[in-house]
Amino acid sequence: MSDCFRDIGKGWGAGWEEQEAVWRWREAVGESLGKLARPLYVDRGVLHIAVASPLVAQELKLWSTELLSRLSAVAPRSKVRELRFVIVPEGREEKVETPEPTPKELNQAEELVPMDLPPELRVKFVRIVAQTLAQEAEILRRGGRRCPSCGVAFLGTEEVCPLCKALS
């Protein structure tokens, strides 16, 4: 395992190691397959994966033994033993351009990201968190709302976000 991944998530609380399969997905499956399927989260050994169609899900199910083997080799801390596919059709959600983070969002991100990360990695994480906060603020500004199930900000007319709707 490379040094930049060895200490990632240290001090981030319980459950972080289980998510290793999410952030190492493309390393395990390769670029072309990584474009067809987007890992969402790991829950009790089950990796939830968003795919654009039932056809893609079926194809990946046929490869599940190989995928699980690759994930086990690349992301052993996740202990993934099962893959579950969620159909999320492409182009369904409205895209929101991420505005530049405000100083307030940058300060919030600084507070959220642990100090004990390697400096270069911490700078990148602070930027990602600040951009996420800016995008969330933009979604809410455009009339979006928070999902009562998971808390994510989303656009649309549904009561819950598309992912929670798909999982229910």
Side-chain angles (χ1 to χ4, degrees), residues 40-87:
L40 300 171
Y41 62 93
V42 178
D43 182 34
R44 293 178 292 228
V46 178
L47 174 58
H48 296 260
I49 304 168
V51 294
S53 73
L55 183 63
V56 173
Q58 188 61 39
E59 187 70 26
L60 292 176
K61 283 178 188 175
L62 294 173
W63 286 93
S64 63
T65 303
E66 174 68 20
L67 294 174
L68 288 169
S69 174
R70 289 180 186 183
L71 282 168
S72 178
V74 172
R77 294 183 289 180
S78 285
K79 298 180 180 134
V80 173
R81 60 182 175 8
E82 182 183 338
L83 304 176
R84 186 162 301 149
F85 300 96
V86 178
I87 311 301

